[in-house]
Amino acid sequence: MPRAYNFSPGPAMLPESVLRQAQATMLEYGDAGASILEISHRGADFLAVAHQAEADLRTLLAIPDEYAVLFTSGGATTVQALLPLNFAAPGQPCDYVVSGHWGKTALKQAAPCADARIAASSEAGGFRDVPPREQWRLSPDAAYVHVTANETIHGVEWRDIPAAGNAPLVADFSSSIASGPLDVTQFGVVYAGAQKNLGPVGITVVIVRRDLLERAGQPRAPVLDYRAQAQAESMLNTPPSWNWYVLGLTVKWMLEEGGVAEFARRNARKAALLYDAIDASGGFYRNEVVPAARSRMNVPFFLHDPALDARFLAEAKQAGLVALKGHRVLGGMRASLYNAMPEAGVQALVEFMHGFRNAHG
Ligand code: PMP
């Protein structure tokens, strides 16, 4: 089977040119006499890779100098567990605005080490919208306010994340980072697992305003300490060097393609194609998220008759469209349309959906 259009939520489709470069350097990296997988993270070759990746990410996302950029392992989930340890004093409340499964996860990961509070939640409505700012009940002395920029499972995305007041906003951008312009200065912390828009699984980007690194937080081992990691340039211990390298290739590809403004245009077109097809299907397909909060990255949708789900997936696969099965929390289907998914892939999906409806509607 040739490479399909891969709608996986993550690990997700990567640009073919990135995979080919990674393939070429797998055996020999430059004149190192070894694979990039085999060289020291403290040697000149890898340090150049690491520094270039950070510089390119800073350019791509317009990250100012007053923010440190950390490259960590353990995924976004580990960041969620470390947020209160690094940024909240013992007993200090941490506020969570919950707009879907991943907001709940962030709260759950923080809870053992924090007074983690739900400031607002859209769960009662089935996570079909974001909780509007006027419903947020913030703690006056909160260490931070956590939001999920894009809910990967529920397909709910903030268009504009409101300001939180005095406490810094901490935002999980795992599934929408670099999908469009981002004003980093609105946030105290922005974090994202790489395996959707930034490259391979196994590395996570944590962008932290440097003054927050001075917070005492709670007792923790040095390896869990973001200040220590920033001082050590994310090399307090051996970093996931291969993942860092492929992330760098992916970031460079995004810059060459025109940067986040160009991806915002492409992603708006791709999402409109799919939502329009769903909405024009006369109820054969449906997406239940309120239009103003529909994600441009992850589009969950349901067939009017779930008995057709297995057939839909099997025929889609035959048509070269893979990984459309919805998350077990919601069922149905989900198409993830990250930056590496070309518009032609979404067109092919929409045509397939049209044909499937004609055959089974
Ligand atoms: N936050 C969001 C928005 C996610 O989509 C995911 C993973 N899909 C996570 C957090 C958790 O990431 P990881 O599995 O890399 O820890």
Side-chain angles (χ1 to χ4, degrees), residues 132-156:
R133 178 67 180 83
E134 55 276 13
Q135 286 176 13
W136 297 15
R137 297 274 171 275
L138 299 177
S139 313
D141 52 345
Y144 58 80
V145 178
H146 184 281
V147 293
T148 310
N150 180 64
E151 285 285 353
T152 320
I153 294 173
H154 288 90
V156 170

mmCIF file of all heavy atoms in Angstrom, residues 132-156:
data_model
loop_
_atom_site.group_PDB
_atom_site.id
_atom_site.type_symbol
_atom_site.label_atom_id
_atom_site.label_comp_id
_atom_site.label_asym_id
_atom_site.label_seq_id
_atom_site.Cartn_x
_atom_site.Cartn_y
_atom_site.Cartn_z
ATOM 1 N N PRO A 132 -17.644 30.015 28.598
ATOM 2 C CA PRO A 132 -17.390 31.441 28.354
ATOM 3 C C PRO A 132 -16.758 32.128 29.559
ATOM 4 O O PRO A 132 -16.957 31.693 30.701
ATOM 5 C CB PRO A 132 -18.786 32.012 28.059
ATOM 6 C CG PRO A 132 -19.753 31.002 28.559
ATOM 7 C CD PRO A 132 -19.059 29.672 28.574
ATOM 8 N N ARG A 133 -16.004 33.173 29.299
ATOM 9 C CA ARG A 133 -15.225 33.858 30.342
ATOM 10 C C ARG A 133 -16.080 34.280 31.526
ATOM 11 O O ARG A 133 -15.647 34.206 32.673
ATOM 12 C CB ARG A 133 -14.517 35.079 29.730
ATOM 13 C CG ARG A 133 -13.705 35.919 30.708
ATOM 14 C CD ARG A 133 -12.494 35.153 31.225
ATOM 15 N NE ARG A 133 -11.690 35.942 32.160
ATOM 16 C CZ ARG A 133 -11.946 36.068 33.458
ATOM 17 N NH1 ARG A 133 -13.006 35.471 33.990
ATOM 18 N NH2 ARG A 133 -11.151 36.779 34.228
ATOM 19 N N GLU A 134 -17.330 34.701 31.245
ATOM 20 C CA GLU A 134 -18.168 35.202 32.357
ATOM 21 C C GLU A 134 -18.539 34.077 33.331
ATOM 22 O O GLU A 134 -18.969 34.330 34.442
ATOM 23 C CB GLU A 134 -19.405 35.954 31.848
ATOM 24 C CG GLU A 134 -20.324 35.229 30.889
ATOM 25 C CD GLU A 134 -19.873 35.293 29.427
ATOM 26 O OE1 GLU A 134 -18.719 35.688 29.163
ATOM 27 O OE2 GLU A 134 -20.674 34.927 28.545
ATOM 28 N N GLN A 135 -18.347 32.819 32.926
ATOM 29 C CA GLN A 135 -18.640 31.696 33.841
ATOM 30 C C GLN A 135 -17.423 31.254 34.662
ATOM 31 O O GLN A 135 -17.536 30.397 35.525
ATOM 32 C CB GLN A 135 -19.165 30.500 33.048
ATOM 33 C CG GLN A 135 -20.584 30.690 32.558
ATOM 34 C CD GLN A 135 -21.056 29.535 31.687
ATOM 35 O OE1 GLN A 135 -20.431 28.482 31.618
ATOM 36 N NE2 GLN A 135 -22.166 29.755 30.997
ATOM 37 N N TRP A 136 -16.253 31.809 34.375
ATOM 38 C CA TRP A 136 -15.066 31.387 35.111
ATOM 39 C C TRP A 136 -15.148 31.904 36.542
ATOM 40 O O TRP A 136 -15.380 33.092 36.770
ATOM 41 C CB TRP A 136 -13.781 31.935 34.472
ATOM 42 C CG TRP A 136 -13.486 31.457 33.076
ATOM 43 C CD1 TRP A 136 -14.347 30.828 32.219
ATOM 44 C CD2 TRP A 136 -12.253 31.624 32.370
ATOM 45 N NE1 TRP A 136 -13.720 30.586 31.020
ATOM 46 C CE2 TRP A 136 -12.436 31.066 31.079
ATOM 47 C CE3 TRP A 136 -11.018 32.190 32.686
ATOM 48 C CZ2 TRP A 136 -11.422 31.059 30.116
ATOM 49 C CZ3 TRP A 136 -10.015 32.187 31.727
ATOM 50 C CH2 TRP A 136 -10.211 31.613 30.469
ATOM 51 N N ARG A 137 -14.971 31.014 37.518
ATOM 52 C CA ARG A 137 -14.926 31.403 38.939
ATOM 53 C C ARG A 137 -13.473 31.258 39.386
ATOM 54 O O ARG A 137 -13.051 30.172 39.787
ATOM 55 C CB ARG A 137 -15.808 30.483 39.776
ATOM 56 C CG ARG A 137 -17.268 30.538 39.446
ATOM 57 C CD ARG A 137 -17.994 31.652 40.202
ATOM 58 N NE ARG A 137 -19.340 31.815 39.716
ATOM 59 C CZ ARG A 137 -19.696 32.574 38.655
ATOM 60 N NH1 ARG A 137 -18.781 33.241 37.983
ATOM 61 N NH2 ARG A 137 -20.950 32.664 38.274
ATOM 62 N N LEU A 138 -12.725 32.338 39.288
ATOM 63 C CA LEU A 138 -11.284 32.254 39.566
ATOM 64 C C LEU A 138 -10.999 32.463 41.045
ATOM 65 O O LEU A 138 -11.667 33.254 41.709
ATOM 66 C CB LEU A 138 -10.542 33.297 38.727
ATOM 67 C CG LEU A 138 -10.700 33.132 37.196
ATOM 68 C CD1 LEU A 138 -9.981 34.267 36.460
ATOM 69 C CD2 LEU A 138 -10.173 31.779 36.730
ATOM 70 N N SER A 139 -9.979 31.757 41.540
ATOM 71 C CA SER A 139 -9.544 31.953 42.927
ATOM 72 C C SER A 139 -8.687 33.214 42.961
ATOM 73 O O SER A 139 -7.802 33.375 42.126
ATOM 74 C CB SER A 139 -8.698 30.769 43.398
ATOM 75 O OG SER A 139 -9.331 29.557 43.046
ATOM 76 N N PRO A 140 -8.920 34.087 43.955
ATOM 77 C CA PRO A 140 -8.164 35.353 43.980
ATOM 78 C C PRO A 140 -6.649 35.128 44.083
ATOM 79 O O PRO A 140 -5.882 35.925 43.574
ATOM 80 C CB PRO A 140 -8.703 36.085 45.213
ATOM 81 C CG PRO A 140 -9.694 35.185 45.866
ATOM 82 C CD PRO A 140 -9.903 33.970 45.028
ATOM 83 N N ASP A 141 -6.239 34.033 44.724
ATOM 84 C CA ASP A 141 -4.806 33.804 44.935
ATOM 85 C C ASP A 141 -4.286 32.625 44.108
ATOM 86 O O ASP A 141 -3.332 31.946 44.512
ATOM 87 C CB ASP A 141 -4.539 33.560 46.430
ATOM 88 C CG ASP A 141 -5.458 32.463 46.994
ATOM 89 O OD1 ASP A 141 -6.461 32.129 46.314
ATOM 90 O OD2 ASP A 141 -5.175 31.941 48.085
ATOM 91 N N ALA A 142 -4.904 32.374 42.946
ATOM 92 C CA ALA A 142 -4.498 31.219 42.139
ATOM 93 C C ALA A 142 -3.053 31.352 41.665
ATOM 94 O O ALA A 142 -2.593 32.444 41.324
ATOM 95 C CB ALA A 142 -5.428 31.077 40.929
ATOM 96 N N ALA A 143 -2.344 30.223 41.644
ATOM 97 C CA ALA A 143 -0.972 30.213 41.133
ATOM 98 C C ALA A 143 -0.967 30.409 39.617
ATOM 99 O O ALA A 143 -0.073 31.038 39.048
ATOM 100 C CB ALA A 143 -0.295 28.882 41.477
ATOM 101 N N TYR A 144 -1.975 29.835 38.960
ATOM 102 C CA TYR A 144 -2.123 29.969 37.503
ATOM 103 C C TYR A 144 -3.530 29.532 37.124
ATOM 104 O O TYR A 144 -4.253 28.930 37.941
ATOM 105 C CB TYR A 144 -1.070 29.128 36.758
ATOM 106 C CG TYR A 144 -1.088 27.647 37.081
ATOM 107 C CD1 TYR A 144 -2.021 26.779 36.499
ATOM 108 C CD2 TYR A 144 -0.165 27.104 37.982
ATOM 109 C CE1 TYR A 144 -2.035 25.425 36.805
ATOM 110 C CE2 TYR A 144 -0.176 25.750 38.299
ATOM 111 C CZ TYR A 144 -1.108 24.919 37.700
ATOM 112 O OH TYR A 144 -1.133 23.586 38.003
ATOM 113 N N VAL A 145 -3.901 29.843 35.896
ATOM 114 C CA VAL A 145 -5.180 29.393 35.349
ATOM 115 C C VAL A 145 -4.861 28.545 34.123
ATOM 116 O O VAL A 145 -4.209 29.011 33.182
ATOM 117 C CB VAL A 145 -6.078 30.586 34.959
ATOM 118 C CG1 VAL A 145 -7.393 30.091 34.351
ATOM 119 C CG2 VAL A 145 -6.339 31.475 36.167
ATOM 120 N N HIS A 146 -5.304 27.294 34.148
ATOM 121 C CA HIS A 146 -4.972 26.364 33.064
ATOM 122 C C HIS A 146 -6.118 26.269 32.056
ATOM 123 O O HIS A 146 -7.280 26.114 32.441
ATOM 124 C CB HIS A 146 -4.683 24.970 33.652
ATOM 125 C CG HIS A 146 -4.243 23.964 32.621
ATOM 126 N ND1 HIS A 146 -5.130 23.326 31.771
ATOM 127 C CD2 HIS A 146 -3.000 23.518 32.286
ATOM 128 C CE1 HIS A 146 -4.438 22.518 30.974
ATOM 129 N NE2 HIS A 146 -3.155 22.607 31.276
ATOM 130 N N VAL A 147 -5.777 26.355 30.786
ATOM 131 C CA VAL A 147 -6.774 26.164 29.711
ATOM 132 C C VAL A 147 -6.213 25.186 28.683
ATOM 133 O O VAL A 147 -4.991 25.019 28.559
ATOM 134 C CB VAL A 147 -7.116 27.481 28.986
ATOM 135 C CG1 VAL A 147 -7.848 28.461 29.886
ATOM 136 C CG2 VAL A 147 -5.875 28.129 28.399
ATOM 137 N N THR A 148 -7.101 24.550 27.941
ATOM 138 C CA THR A 148 -6.702 23.671 26.840
ATOM 139 C C THR A 148 -7.100 24.373 25.538
ATOM 140 O O THR A 148 -8.289 24.556 25.272
ATOM 141 C CB THR A 148 -7.408 22.307 26.947
ATOM 142 O OG1 THR A 148 -7.236 21.813 28.285
ATOM 143 C CG2 THR A 148 -6.832 21.310 25.947
ATOM 144 N N ALA A 149 -6.096 24.779 24.775
ATOM 145 C CA ALA A 149 -6.376 25.593 23.582
ATOM 146 C C ALA A 149 -7.235 24.833 22.588
ATOM 147 O O ALA A 149 -8.133 25.407 21.952
ATOM 148 C CB ALA A 149 -5.058 26.013 22.932
ATOM 149 N N ASN A 150 -6.964 23.540 22.450
ATOM 150 C CA ASN A 150 -7.725 22.712 21.505
ATOM 151 C C ASN A 150 -7.902 21.331 22.117
ATOM 152 O O ASN A 150 -6.925 20.706 22.515
ATOM 153 C CB ASN A 150 -6.972 22.602 20.173
ATOM 154 C CG ASN A 150 -7.721 21.748 19.164
ATOM 155 O OD1 ASN A 150 -8.818 22.098 18.738
ATOM 156 N ND2 ASN A 150 -7.152 20.611 18.794
ATOM 157 N N GLU A 151 -9.151 20.905 22.206
ATOM 158 C CA GLU A 151 -9.445 19.592 22.773
ATOM 159 C C GLU A 151 -9.436 18.562 21.639
ATOM 160 O O GLU A 151 -10.355 18.503 20.816
ATOM 161 C CB GLU A 151 -10.805 19.615 23.495
ATOM 162 C CG GLU A 151 -10.754 20.337 24.835
ATOM 163 C CD GLU A 151 -10.067 19.491 25.926
ATOM 164 O OE1 GLU A 151 -9.760 18.317 25.677
ATOM 165 O OE2 GLU A 151 -9.853 20.044 27.029
ATOM 166 N N THR A 152 -8.430 17.720 21.660
ATOM 167 C CA THR A 152 -8.154 16.784 20.571
ATOM 168 C C THR A 152 -9.264 15.749 20.389
ATOM 169 O O THR A 152 -9.518 15.295 19.272
ATOM 170 C CB THR A 152 -6.823 16.063 20.879
ATOM 171 O OG1 THR A 152 -5.907 17.007 21.432
ATOM 172 C CG2 THR A 152 -6.221 15.446 19.641
ATOM 173 N N ILE A 153 -9.905 15.339 21.492
ATOM 174 C CA ILE A 153 -10.945 14.308 21.410
ATOM 175 C C ILE A 153 -12.306 14.931 21.119
ATOM 176 O O ILE A 153 -13.023 14.497 20.209
ATOM 177 C CB ILE A 153 -10.990 13.491 22.713
ATOM 178 C CG1 ILE A 153 -9.685 12.702 22.865
ATOM 179 C CG2 ILE A 153 -12.209 12.559 22.727
ATOM 180 C CD1 ILE A 153 -9.540 11.984 24.188
ATOM 181 N N HIS A 154 -12.656 15.985 21.860
ATOM 182 C CA HIS A 154 -13.990 16.567 21.689
ATOM 183 C C HIS A 154 -14.079 17.539 20.516
ATOM 184 O O HIS A 154 -15.177 17.941 20.127
ATOM 185 C CB HIS A 154 -14.445 17.224 22.996
ATOM 186 C CG HIS A 154 -14.779 16.206 24.041
ATOM 187 N ND1 HIS A 154 -13.850 15.724 24.941
ATOM 188 C CD2 HIS A 154 -15.923 15.515 24.282
ATOM 189 C CE1 HIS A 154 -14.415 14.798 25.706
ATOM 190 N NE2 HIS A 154 -15.667 14.651 25.332
ATOM 191 N N GLY A 155 -12.934 17.930 19.958
ATOM 192 C CA GLY A 155 -12.966 18.810 18.785
ATOM 193 C C GLY A 155 -13.459 20.207 19.110
ATOM 194 O O GLY A 155 -14.159 20.826 18.312
ATOM 195 N N VAL A 156 -13.055 20.700 20.295
ATOM 196 C CA VAL A 156 -13.475 22.033 20.753
ATOM 197 C C VAL A 156 -12.232 22.920 20.860
ATOM 198 O O VAL A 156 -11.256 22.547 21.507
ATOM 199 C CB VAL A 156 -14.155 21.920 22.136
ATOM 200 C CG1 VAL A 156 -14.390 23.291 22.742
ATOM 201 C CG2 VAL A 156 -15.473 21.163 22.013
#
